[in-house]
Amino acid sequence: MVWAPLGPPRTDCLTLLHTPSKDTPKMSLEWLVAWSWSLDGLRDCIATGIQSVRDCDTTAVITVACLLVLFVWYCYHVGREQPRPYVSVNSLMQAADANGLQNGYVYCQSPECVRCTHNEGLNQKLYHNLQEYAKRYSWSGMGRIHKGIREQGRYLNSRPSIQKPEVFFLPDLPTTPYFSRDAQKHDVEVLERNFQTILCEFETLYKAFSNCSLPQGWKMNSTPSGEWFTFYLVNQGVCVPRNCRKCPRTYRLLGSLRTCIGNNVFGNACISVLSPGTVITEHYGPTNIRIRCHLGLKTPNGCELVVGGEPQCWAEGRCLLFDDSFLHAAFHEGSAEDGPRVVFMVDLWHPNVAAAERQALDFIFAPGR
């Protein structure tokens, strides 16, 4: 059966139906004729579409339909397994209270946490997580991660002392203590454009120090001399709701960063404060898959960061990118009149970690896994 378009409308029928009067607009007849023509055009379009489908190759139609079904299935499973990293603070507030947030800082409660576990069973646990990911998704693009996990012990033990991540080393990544701004140009520009916003929220927070020694939400870190305070918005891949509510604009800013690590235990975002006379001794970060970004908020004289034996200084309103899997230390040798050194710290993906690898690492090192 073939659809055939009907002939043009009969204007004599419209003329009989239309009886003009003084109260009827003169354009009514013209409007009805135009409306009738529109219906005929729509009918012609539908008939043409049906005929085109009939003329199309059946194999091509089935192939397109199968691809569409596969795409919908993939979107459903990814959406179910990979929740959005940044949700409203209010919705996180109730869940966080039950998960052990104390003083605004996330304390790991799982003895099996891959971020905090240093034992012989860690590699087996990581490999199990990788296999589980591959079963749900794919082994495609997992060669480097597979290689790294299978030979993790050799990589960590044989690394030169200048770079020795404590938890996970991804092989074949370019290594350098410092990265140029172009390594993550978009996120660097976003952070620097919002320098004043972040600074204003920090200054509001810092006023609380005049009333007590350690205000709620701040954490004091161990140092041989001086004082080092941190105020986490995201700690080891977990949002800290109470702190985020105190810095709402800074927290929303994280959602606009393209390479911010927000779904695994290697991701952090915080305000870091060093008082005059503070020394952070040499130490290694947990992994080489990230770049640590410091946006200078307050950078008095006498402050210095040393990564892999190379010293650098912070600058207000500018980002400093470095690989904290290298041996690194920080100093504030200024006077009390200089005030504290303050940076906004956020962890970004290493630019040479592929998108498929990022998704897999988020799964393998998910908080609490």
Side-chain angles (χ1 to χ4, degrees):
M1 178 179 178
V2 179
W3 289 92
L6 299 178
R10 292 176 57 89
T11 56
D12 53 345
C13 295
L14 291 174
T15 306
L16 292 173
L17 291 173
H18 178 71
T19 55
S21 63
K22 294 180 180 180
D23 300 328
T24 304
K26 295 181 180 180
M27 296 298 295
S28 297
L29 179 58
E30 297 178 4
W31 183 84
L32 286 173
V33 172
W35 180 69
S36 177
W37 288 348
S38 298
L39 290 179
D40 289 337
L42 178 61
R43 184 169 53 203
D44 293 345
C45 181
I46 294 174
T48 303
I50 294 174
Q51 187 62 39
S52 298
V53 172
R54 288 177 176 175
D55 295 340
C56 184
D57 183 26
T58 305
T59 305
V61 173
I62 294 175
T63 301
V64 172
C66 291
L67 290 175
L68 181 60
V69 171
L70 288 174
F71 177 73
V72 172
W73 176 86
Y74 175 78
C75 291
Y76 167 74
H77 281 274
V78 171
R80 185 180 64 176
E81 297 294 338
Q82 301 290 334
R84 293 180 62 185
Y86 297 104
V87 295
S88 64
V89 176
N90 291 333
S91 65
L92 285 166
M93 195 71 180
Q94 297 178 351
D97 290 337
N99 289 334
L101 291 185
Q102 303 174 12
N103 197 28
Y105 185 75
V106 180
Y107 291 91
C108 179
Q109 296 179 320
S110 173
E112 300 180 352
C113 173
V114 296
R115 173 63 178 85
C116 304
T117 303
H118 300 279
N119 55 45
E120 295 179 356
L122 176 60
N123 290 350
Q124 294 180 356
K125 184 175 182 61
L126 295 181
Y127 190 66
H128 171 77
N129 291 347
L130 174 61
Q131 286 183 318
E132 184 179 351
Y133 172 85
K135 290 177 182 178
R136 296 191 184 189
Y137 301 101
S138 171
W139 278 103
S140 177
M142 297 299 104
R144 192 158 54 174
I145 296 178
H146 180 267
K147 177 182 176 182
I149 292 177
R150 291 298 296 269
E151 304 183 29
Q152 196 64 205
R154 182 176 67 85
Y155 282 129
L156 296 182
N157 294 329
S158 63
R159 294 297 303 169
S161 59
I162 194 173
Q163 184 192 27
K164 189 173 291 186
E166 296 180 341
V167 179
F168 178 72
F169 178 80
L170 185 65
D172 304 325
L173 280 182
T175 59
T176 179
Y178 294 96
F179 286 81
S180 69
R181 295 162 45 84
D182 291 336
Q184 297 295 2
K185 184 176 181 180
H186 172 271
D187 290 353
V188 166
E189 292 177 347
V190 169
L191 289 169
E192 292 180 351
R193 280 199 306 268
N194 290 272
F195 159 70
Q196 287 295 337
T197 297
I198 302 172
L199 178 62
C200 289
E201 292 194 330
F202 158 73
E203 290 177 338
T204 301
L205 285 174
Y206 201 64
K207 292 177 181 178
F209 276 91
S210 60
N211 300 323
C212 59
S213 58
L214 187 64
Q216 186 180 42
W218 289 89
K219 176 181 178 292
M220 179 178 289
N221 302 280
S222 177
T223 57
S225 62
E227 295 176 327
W228 175 23
F229 302 100
T230 47
F231 187 86
Y232 279 89
L233 303 183
V234 177
N235 178 38
Q236 295 187 15
V238 179
C239 171
V240 185
R242 283 194 178 91
N243 290 358
C244 292
R245 294 183 65 173
K246 296 177 181 179
C247 300
R249 291 180 293 176
T250 303
Y251 173 72
R252 286 195 297 268
L253 179 64
L254 294 177
S256 64
L257 301 180
R258 295 175 180 173
T259 62
C260 177
I261 301 178
N263 281 337
N264 69 55
V265 295
F266 299 128
N268 302 275
C270 71
I271 296 173
S272 175
V273 179
L274 295 185
S275 64
T278 301
V279 175
I280 301 178
T281 55
E282 293 181 331
H283 61 287
Y284 301 100
T287 182
N288 66 327
I289 67 172
R290 73 186 185 188
I291 294 177
R292 179 147 285 185
C293 175
H294 282 184
L295 172 65
L297 301 180
K298 290 182 177 293
T299 58
N301 295 328
C303 298
E304 192 173 85
L305 173 69
V306 181
V307 182
E310 300 180 18
Q312 288 279 358
C313 295
W314 296 276
E316 293 182 3
R318 301 282 289 180
C319 287
L320 181 62
L321 307 179
F322 64 98
D323 184 345
D324 71 330
S325 67
F326 282 80
L327 190 66
H328 62 285
F331 312 90
H332 184 353
E333 298 175 340
S335 63
E337 292 76 16
D338 294 329
R341 182 239 59 178
V342 185
V343 299
F344 178 64
M345 184 196 79
V346 59
D347 290 322
L348 309 176
W349 284 104
H350 190 292
N352 293 94
V353 178
E357 293 175 319
R358 296 179 186 183
Q359 182 176 334
L361 290 168
D362 278 344
F363 184 91
I364 295 169
F365 291 100
R369 179 174 292 279

